[in-house]
């Protein structure tokens, strides 16, 4: 019976596939990012300690971790974890290993057992690795792909970060990175004591801290325990108060559910995924409405068949089973198509999260039993929602009237009306949401960021594995920048503490007003750069001058942004004034080493994020820049030469350094806006599908109305009705349904789009023009859908209609 109407069957299967497939894709990503628990023993008992100020979260320092570990009483123990990329030297090659450092009690608290060999414990987490030296465990996938599963590797030594380490075991398959979204699973884990000096630094907030609740303890009791310890832990973690005062004074230690580990993706994408779940749910309802309309039309064309079946003795239950069996068969075909479509869409979404350096988010969206069960249940509910009411109507057909009529009767009129109203309302919501997200994305693209990203190429450099002294690092950075400044195809080059949009920085600066008042800012962004910074990044100097090489020899100078100038010197010319990086107490001589003279005013640059106001920037020369992790940026019209120049500059700076990650500024902007790009692509696709389904629904309803009223229309035309009168008579009811659907959709959309408020920049959910545009678009689609039915109505021959009468 399906083969007799292949077009109708394909349309129903496609409706199920679109609705269920979109929901499967979004749920797969939501499960991987938000809902998935760590594959360890009893993850529900895990808790995670945070160090947060509002939405800004950083890790805990080593001293804070040790103090919290000694004082807390809610957990059986606390572990500390930090991602750490190792430099691996083997057979004359230098590779990067994606790894981590873990406290000695970590594997025991997580309940992890080795696949091969053993895992290190507290006795192995000692300075210099203890008596046996540093010991490492390798990831299962890395062991399989790079070492071909060689069991003899256990017990052998490797050179990581120029240290000899002994491989003591292989992790079980699927062991995760406790920090989700940081580039996939780990390839090597070493004890935390591998960075012993880092552990003692009170101002290095680098540790993810987790624990396992004791029997009888809950998350609420852990929070109460921590509240009582907050002050004493901070005092023990930083006795001098030098690091936890100032900028970090507003940060508080907290505790939350740790079953999913720590996830930067969860913080960034939890809200957008919720919005996408709502949009995909609306799309599913729209697909259900379209399927219901198709089923009503199909049953209406078969009403005489059902009347015959009933007359031959088929009861209501038999007819109901007949229709539901057909619908469920189609739904099963739609489910198979939805699984393939949803999996492909989910994988494409994951690709949107890849960093400019090519690192993936480290999440898997391969369908598991939970995801498959959810999409199967959703498809079944959609089938019942779309087909149950038409099936009930078909099972209650009265054979008498329909057997007497030659024409095929039907009952799609009333049902089709409310279905079209629902389609229009849902379409308004989806189109309005898509327009809001599109407006926000366009606003961010057109925003003056304070940078000129065209023809700019960047490289992320990591020299930590070389264990250079600060003086050696400074020299390495200078060699790299000098090489780039002298390269023939490069017009400007600079070194950056970090690339834009990849982190944040905070330093304390002070200014003394004309009346002696002190203006302090603990949130200023101090960025050490080389003299070519402003030319390379395209940030304009508005007053004074930029930084020059000659400034390296004299007193310290700096350039401030507009926001910084307005904060420190409101209404005054900042050029020639002085900033301090230590609090100048009244009557005390100022140390020249803690001052910088302002030589220029630069335009504001949105260094942290395009979504936030520009920070207060203070640019200084890199005379004291000694970070082993930094970025290089060059401006060049020759992209290939720029990439080659950056690679050679790193080689000149440190011949044994790992190869840098290179990308363009435009790629960096694309990655920074990946959240908005994902939202606009999906919302736009959902809106397009909604408009198509609405058009199909309107077209089907109008065509059937014209077919059922062809005699009436012919009589009207014979009595002198013109085209306008015919159109009004035929489509007045449908137009009313569309207008009421638009009104309902506007109210529904105004409520639903409030959920998007935190995701929008530069546009408001209450923008009436958005809803006016959505309504105009749907009306345009309605007119297009009505064109063919109207043409058919006007082509009716009045003479034939009169003869029929």
């Amino acid at each position: 019976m399906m083969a007799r109407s292949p077009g109708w069957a394909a349309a129903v299967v496609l409706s199920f596939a679109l609705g269920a497939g979109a929901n499967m894709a979004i749920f797969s990503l939501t499960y991987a990012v938000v809902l998935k628990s760590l594959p360890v023993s009893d993850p529900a008992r895990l808790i995670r300690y945070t160090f947060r100020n509002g939405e800004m979260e950083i890790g805990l320092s080593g001293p804070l971790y040790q103090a919290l570990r000694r004082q807390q009483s809610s957990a059986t123990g606390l572990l500390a974890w930090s991602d750490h990329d190792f430099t691996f030297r083997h057979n004359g090659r230098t590779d990067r290993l994606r790894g981590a450092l873990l406290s000695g009690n970590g594997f025991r608290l997580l309940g992890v057992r080795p696949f091969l060999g053993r895992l290190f414990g507290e006795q192995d987490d000692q300075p210099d690795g203890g008596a046996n030296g540093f010991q490492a465990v390798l990831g299962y996938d890395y062991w399989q792909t790079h070492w071909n599963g060689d069991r003899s590797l256990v017990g052998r030594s490797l050179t990581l970060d120029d240290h000899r380490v002994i491989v003591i075991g292989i992790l079980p398959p699927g062991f995760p990175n406790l920090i989700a979204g940081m580039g996939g699973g780990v390839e090597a884990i070493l004890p935390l004591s591998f960075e012993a000096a880092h552990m003692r630094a009170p101002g290095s907030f680098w540790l993810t801290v987790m624990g396992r609740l004791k029997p009888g303890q809950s998350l609420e009791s852990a929070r109460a325990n921590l509240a009582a310890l907050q002050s004493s832990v901070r005092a023990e973690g930083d006795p001098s108060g030098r690091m936890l005062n100032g900028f970090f004074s507003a940060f508080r230690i907290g505790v939350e559910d740790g079953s999913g580990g720590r996830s930067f993706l969860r913080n960034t994408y939890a809200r957008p995924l919720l919005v996408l779940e709502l949009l995909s749910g609306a799309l599913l309802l729209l697909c259900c409405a379209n399927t219901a309309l198709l089923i009503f039309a199909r049953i209406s064309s078969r009403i005489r068949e059902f009347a015959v079946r009933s007359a031959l003795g088929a009861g209501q239950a038999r007819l109901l089973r007949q229709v539901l069996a057909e619908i469920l068969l189609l739904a099963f075909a739609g489910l198979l198509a939805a699984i393939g479509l949803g999996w492909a869409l989910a994988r494409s979404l994951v690709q949107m999260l890849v960093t400019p350096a090519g690192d993936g988010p480290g999440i898997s969206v391969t369908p598991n039993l939970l995801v498959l069960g959810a999409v199967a249940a959703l498809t079944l509910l959609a089938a019942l929602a779309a087909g149950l009411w038409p099936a009930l109507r078909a099972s209650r057909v009265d054979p008498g009237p329909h057997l007497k009529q030659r024409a095929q009767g039907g009952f799609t009129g009333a049902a089709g009306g409310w279905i079209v109203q629902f389609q229009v309302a849902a379409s308004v919501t989806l189109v309005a949401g898509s327009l809001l997200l599109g407006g926000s994305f366009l606003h961010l693209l057109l925003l003056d960021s304070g940078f000129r990203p065209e023809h700019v190429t960047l490289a992320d450099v990591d020299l930590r594995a070389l264990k250079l002294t600060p003086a050696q690092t400074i020299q390495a950075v200078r060699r790299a920048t000098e090489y780039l400044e002298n390269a023939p195809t490069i017009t400007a080059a600079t070194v950056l503490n970090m690339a834009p949009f990849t982190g944040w920085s905070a330093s304390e600066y002070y200014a003394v007003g004309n009346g002696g008042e002190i203006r302090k800012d603990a949130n200023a962004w101090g960025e050490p750069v080389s003299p070519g910074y402003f030319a390379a990044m395209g940030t304009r100097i508005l007053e004074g001058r930029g930084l020059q090489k000659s400034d390296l020899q004299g007193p310290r100078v700096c350039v401030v942004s507009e926001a910084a100038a307005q904060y420190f010197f409101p209404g005054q010319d900042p050029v020639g004034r002085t900033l301090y990086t230590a609090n100048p107490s009244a009557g005390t001589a100022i140390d020249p080493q803690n001052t910088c003279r302002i030589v220029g005013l630069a335009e504001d640059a949105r260094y942290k994020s395009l979504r936030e106001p520009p920070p207060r920037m203070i640019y200084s020369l890199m005379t004291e820049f000694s970070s082993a992790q930094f970025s290089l940026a060059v401006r060049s019209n020759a992209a290939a030469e720029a990439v080659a120049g950056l690679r050679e500059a790193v080689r000149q700076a440190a011949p044994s350094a790992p190869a840098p990650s290179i990308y363009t500024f435009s790629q960096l902007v694309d990655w920074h806006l990946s959240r908005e790009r994902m939202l606009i692509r999906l919302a736009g696709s959902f809106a397009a599908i909604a408009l198509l389904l609405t058009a199909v629904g309107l077209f089907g309803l109008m065509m059937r109305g014209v077919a059922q009223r062809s005699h009436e229309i012919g009589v009207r035309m014979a009595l002198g009705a013109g085209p306008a009168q015919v159109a009004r008579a035929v489509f007045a009811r449908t137009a009313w349904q569309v207008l009421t659907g638009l009104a309902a959709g506007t109210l529904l959309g105004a409520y639903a789009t409030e959920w998007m408020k935190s995701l929008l920049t530069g546009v408001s959910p209450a923008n009436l023009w958005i809803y006016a545009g959505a309504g105009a678009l749907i009306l345009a689609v309605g007119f297009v859908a009505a064109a063919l039915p109207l043409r058919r109505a006007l082509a009716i021959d009045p003479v034939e209609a009169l003869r029929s009468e």
Side-chain angles (χ1 to χ4, degrees), residues 20 23-25 27-28 31 284 335-336 338-339 365-382:
N23 278 269
M24 175 184 169
F27 179 70
S28 296
Y31 173 77
L284 179 64
L335 172 62
L336 297 180
I339 292 174
V365 290
T366 301
N368 55 27
L369 289 178
L370 177 62
V371 173
L372 293 176
V375 72
L378 200 62
T379 306
L380 176 61
L381 290 175

Side-chain angles (χ1 to χ4, degrees), residues 174-343:
F175 183 82
N177 190 328
L178 299 189
I179 306 179
M182 295 301 289
V186 291
E187 297 173 332
I189 301 180
L190 266 69
L192 205 58
S193 57
F194 192 74
E195 287 285 351
H198 212 177
M199 279 293 293
R200 295 189 292 269
S204 184
F205 303 96
W206 62 304
L207 296 176
T208 295
V209 177
M210 299 176 63
R212 185 176 291 278
L213 290 170
K214 293 178 178 178
Q217 295 288 324
S218 64
L219 182 60
E220 289 70 24
S221 62
R223 286 172 174 159
N225 177 243
L226 178 62
L229 301 175
Q230 184 82 220
S231 299
S232 60
V233 169
R234 292 173 69 95
E236 184 181 342
D238 184 23
S240 68
R242 185 172 61 89
M243 294 308 306
L244 294 183
N245 289 333
F247 176 77
F248 295 106
S249 61
F251 281 74
R252 290 291 179 269
I253 305 173
V255 62
E256 62 183 32
D257 174 55
S259 60
R262 181 181 181 185
S263 175
F264 295 102
L265 288 175
R266 185 185 303 120
N267 296 338
T268 304
Y269 286 95
R271 186 79 177 182
L273 286 172
L274 176 60
V275 170
L276 288 176
E277 289 283 3
L278 294 174
L279 292 178
S280 61
L283 178 65
L284 179 64
L285 292 176
L286 195 58
C287 290
C288 288
N290 187 71
T291 305
L293 200 58
L294 288 169
I295 295 172
F296 263 121
R298 174 66 171 165
I299 292 177
S300 181
S301 66
R302 295 170 57 192
I303 197 67
R304 189 175 179 84
E305 171 198 333
F306 289 111
V308 172
R309 288 176 179 268
S310 179
L312 293 176
Q316 289 188 6
R318 177 69 184 86
L319 294 177
L320 182 65
R321 287 198 305 271
Q322 168 70 27
V323 178
L324 288 180
E326 296 176 12
I327 294 170
L328 292 176
L329 177 62
L330 292 168
F332 180 73
L335 172 62
L336 297 180
I339 292 174
L341 177 65
W343 190 15

Side-chain angles (χ1 to χ4, degrees), residues 426-443:
S427 296
V428 170
T429 303
L430 287 167
V431 172
S434 178
L435 291 176
L436 283 171
L437 293 170
S440 177
F441 183 62
L442 185 63
H443 173 81

Side-chain angles (χ1 to χ4, degrees), residues 397-471:
V397 65
D398 184 358
H402 295 288
L403 288 176
K404 294 177 182 178
Q405 296 176 0
R406 288 178 58 89
Q408 296 286 336
F411 42 73
T412 59
W418 69 259
I419 291 176
V420 166
Q421 286 175 316
F422 177 81
Q423 285 182 318
V424 171
S427 296
V428 170
T429 303
L430 287 167
V431 172
S434 178
L435 291 176
L436 283 171
L437 293 170
S440 177
F441 183 62
L442 185 63
H443 173 81
L444 291 172
L445 284 180
L446 300 178
L447 191 68
D448 184 4
S449 64
F451 302 108
R452 306 297 174 264
E454 302 82 8
H455 310 301
V456 177
T457 307
L458 299 100
D460 292 338
V461 185
D462 189 351
L463 305 180
R464 290 177 299 173
L466 305 183
K467 304 296 182 182
L468 302 178
T469 65

Side-chain angles (χ1 to χ4, degrees), residues 542-687:
L542 304 178
E543 186 179 345
R545 63 174 177 85
L547 301 171
Q548 302 173 354
K549 286 187 177 180
S550 58
D551 294 325
L552 291 167
Q553 309 303 322
R556 292 178 62 193
V557 299
C558 57
V559 173
V560 299
S561 67
E562 294 176 277
Q566 182 60 32
Y567 180 85
F568 289 111
F569 311 104
Q572 303 173 45
D573 184 357
V575 177
R577 305 295 292 268
T578 302
L579 282 179
Y580 306 90
T581 53
N583 192 354
S585 302
T588 302
I590 297 173
D591 182 357
Q593 295 299 318
N594 290 327
T595 68
C596 72
R597 181 173 58 87
I598 300 173
V599 297
L601 173 67
E603 67 172 323
D604 280 332
R606 296 177 183 265
Y607 216 101
K608 182 180 178 182
S609 172
L610 293 175
R611 309 176 189 97
E612 300 181 19
R616 296 184 280 272
M617 301 290 300
I618 292 90
Y619 305 96
S620 58
L621 284 171
M622 60 170 196
T623 53
E624 299 179 2
F625 183 79
S626 59
S627 173
Q629 286 182 285
F630 57 92
S631 295
L632 297 170
V634 297
R635 180 172 291 275
S636 173
N637 291 328
E641 286 79 356
V643 172
L646 286 167
R647 295 190 190 281
E648 180 60 22
V650 175
R651 195 190 69 81
Q652 294 277 346
S656 58
S661 299
I662 298 179
Y663 48 91
T664 66
F665 204 138
S666 297
Q667 289 174 319
L668 180 62
V669 173
D670 288 344
W671 170 77
H672 178 61
L673 297 179
S674 59
R675 185 184 75 180
E676 286 77 10
R677 196 177 300 276
M678 176 190 295
L679 285 168
I680 184 61
R681 285 181 179 177
L682 287 174
S685 299
F686 293 169

